[in-house]
């Protein structure tokens, strides 16, 4: 047995000295840190339970990530989309054709203009008369406008002769997708012949 040195304090003296020390309290953050560590350990153990639990955790993390990502991006993205639509609308409205220009119309087999079948010659006209004729779906003239040869309108006999010629003129009506419809055709009437200009 070893001899204990006499200069060391006894156990009773050490216990008494330790009891007299001021009591130390743990910091408040220690409790929160321990709870976070316990929560992470619990989540790690729960992840190992099965596929459904793993999928649920993955889904929750993905949802949280998407929510945190989209929140700061939603307003700039919406502003950019609204600006793009507004600028496109400002560009489109002035450039959008409100009415088709017939001089730029590309002819297709889907729509046709009225076609002249036959006519009688214009009475004793001294000049040619250019007339725009509106033709209905049955191929009959429903209206006309004299483009050149306005003297014909001043002379009653020539005007009656022109109107009679147009009334007895036969047309094949204009078609759109095979269905007859109203259309316009330009006629050049002379005393001996009739020319058609589309």
């Amino acid at each position: 047995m070893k001899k204990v040195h006499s200069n060391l304090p006894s156990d009773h003296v050490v216990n008494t000295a330790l009891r007299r020390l001021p009591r130390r309290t743990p910091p408040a953050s220690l409790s929160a840190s321990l709870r976070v560590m316990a929560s992470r350990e619990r989540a790690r153990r729960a992840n190992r339970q099965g596929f459904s639990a793993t999928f649920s955790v993955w889904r929750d993390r993905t949802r949280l990530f998407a929510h945190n990502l989209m929140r700061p991006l939603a307003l700039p993205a919406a502003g950019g989309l609204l600006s793009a639509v507004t600028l496109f609308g400002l560009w489109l409205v002035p450039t959008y054709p409100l009415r088709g220009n017939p001089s730029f119309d590309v002819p297709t087999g889907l729509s046709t203009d009225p076609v002249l079948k036959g006519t009688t010659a214009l009475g004793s006209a001294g000049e040619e008369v250019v007339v725009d004729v509106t033709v209905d779906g049955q191929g009959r003239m429903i209206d006309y406008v004299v483009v050149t040869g306005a003297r014909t309108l001043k002379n009653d006999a020539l005007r009656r002769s022109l109107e009679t010629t147009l009334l007895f003129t036969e047309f094949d009506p204009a078609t759109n997708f095979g269905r007859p419809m109203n259309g316009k055709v330009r006629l050049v009437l002379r005393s001996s012949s009739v020319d058609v200009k589309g």
Side-chain angles (χ1 to χ4, degrees):
M1 197 163 164
K2 292 184 179 181
K3 264 188 172 181
V4 179
H5 295 291
S6 60
N7 58 355
L8 292 177
S10 66
D11 290 339
H12 179 68
V13 173
V14 171
N15 285 339
T16 306
L18 287 174
R19 283 191 192 113
R20 287 183 186 157
L21 288 173
R23 186 172 291 219
R24 299 194 59 183
T25 57
S29 62
L30 179 64
S31 174
S33 298
L34 290 174
R35 287 185 184 190
V36 168
M37 288 171 56
S39 173
R40 285 181 181 162
E41 183 61 25
R42 188 171 136 248
R44 188 176 64 79
R45 287 187 181 179
N47 286 343
R48 295 181 181 172
Q49 288 179 356
F51 175 74
S52 62
T54 304
F55 179 74
S56 175
V57 168
W58 178 81
R59 186 190 65 212
D60 291 341
R61 285 183 181 170
T62 305
R63 185 179 297 157
L64 180 64
F65 174 75
H67 180 72
N68 289 342
L69 179 69
M70 292 307 290
R71 203 168 206 165
L73 294 179
L75 185 62
L81 182 64
L82 182 65
S83 299
V85 169
T86 303
L87 290 174
F88 182 72
L90 290 173
W91 170 80
L92 181 66
V93 170
T95 61
Y96 188 77
L98 296 177
R99 288 189 224 174
N101 190 346
S103 62
F104 295 114
D105 193 16
V106 178
T108 63
L110 301 176
S111 62
T112 61
D113 290 329
V115 178
L116 179 68
K117 278 187 183 176
T119 186
T120 59
L122 184 61
S124 56
E127 65 175 320
E128 70 177 20
V129 180
V130 179
V131 182
D132 283 342
V133 181
T134 304
V135 180
D136 67 2
Q138 283 76 36
R140 294 187 300 261
M141 185 267 307
I142 55 175
D143 193 16
Y144 73 94
V145 175
V146 175
V147 179
T148 60
R151 279 192 345 204
T152 305
L153 294 176
K154 293 178 184 174
N155 186 333
D156 288 340
L158 289 177
R159 186 174 48 78
R160 276 195 296 271
S161 175
L162 172 67
E163 291 172 350
T164 304
T165 300
L166 292 176
L167 279 174
F168 289 106
T169 301
E170 297 177 21
F171 298 94
D172 286 329
T175 59
N176 190 15
F177 292 99
R179 299 181 67 187
M181 57 179 288
N182 293 354
K184 285 190 177 183
V185 65
R186 179 165 284 190
L187 301 177
V188 180
L189 301 169
R190 295 186 187 90
S191 58
S192 60
S193 65
V194 175
D195 291 335
V196 180
K197 293 186 177 179

